[in-house]
Amino acid sequence: MTETVEPAAGTDATEPFAVGVTVRGYETDTQGHLNQSVYLQYAEHARWSLLQASGIRQSTMVDRRVGPVTVETTIRYRRELRAGDEVEVSCAFVWGEGKTFRIEQTVRTADGTVAAEVSAVCGLLDLTERKLLPDPRAALRDLADEPALLGLTDA
């Protein structure tokens, strides 16, 4: 399995953070296409890779009793993927006001063709209270060594 993380990506506003993945044969369905559920796994892998690149470890989040949650996901399938295809999965946080934020992701083939677009509404859950934190930006900014990778500037 070939898998790469591009930690330098995402520092330029025109270039979002991205992770490379090779589609594996066991991830395909009977038509030879990448199984629909695997797109979500690729998206999740890119999200955690971005958090880690920003300096946020899963264990630190657990220690602080917070965790990311997804409340809605939309996948737009554009082109089929097959075993052996090399793809890049981008990941960008889009901030608004309130308890939730969006994560926009694109799965692209090596030639730049968009295979899928994934859009998720997410939040940070207080693991003790089981409620969304009122200001996820502040919590992630506090946890991150490099908050700019998450689209967070000093505030």
Side-chain angles (χ1 to χ4, degrees), residues 7-109:
T11 56
D12 179 345
T14 62
E15 228 180 281
F17 181 89
V19 175
V21 179
T22 301
V23 176
R24 295 161 293 259
Y26 63 83
E27 296 173 327
T28 60
D29 59 22
T30 56
Q31 291 83 28
H33 305 138
L34 184 64
N35 181 280
Q36 52 86 26
S37 67
V38 179
Y39 287 89
L40 292 174
Q41 293 172 0
Y42 288 3
E44 187 75 4
H45 173 64
R47 292 174 200 168
W48 279 105
S49 295
L50 175 51
L51 288 172
Q52 187 169 342
S54 76
I56 301 174
R57 297 179 47 89
Q58 187 176 22
S59 60
T60 303
M61 294 181 92
V62 171
D63 290 346
R64 300 243 187 128
R65 304 293 301 146
V66 298
V69 294
T70 302
V71 298
E72 176 184 306
T73 303
T74 302
I75 305 174
R76 290 173 202 87
Y77 303 100
R78 302 294 187 198
R79 296 287 185 269
E80 67 183 6
L81 293 175
R82 296 185 172 274
D85 285 349
E86 300 284 336
V87 298
E88 181 179 87
V89 185
S90 68
C91 186
F93 283 63
V94 179
W95 298 99
E97 298 299 320
K99 297 178 181 182
T100 62
F101 52 93
R102 297 192 75 76
I103 299 179
E104 300 293 338
Q105 299 180 265
T106 304
V107 180
R108 293 183 191 278
T109 61

Side-chain angles (χ1 to χ4, degrees), residues 90-142:
S90 68
C91 186
F93 283 63
V94 179
W95 298 99
E97 298 299 320
K99 297 178 181 182
T100 62
F101 52 93
R102 297 192 75 76
I103 299 179
E104 300 293 338
Q105 299 180 265
T106 304
V107 180
R108 293 183 191 278
T109 61
D111 69 2
T113 301
V114 175
E117 297 165 322
V118 180
S119 180
V121 176
C122 302
L124 279 182
L125 187 69
D126 178 314
L127 298 176
T128 302
E129 298 292 322
R130 308 306 289 179
K131 294 182 179 181
L132 290 178
L133 295 181
D135 189 354
R137 289 180 297 179
L140 288 173
R141 189 179 296 113
D142 182 52

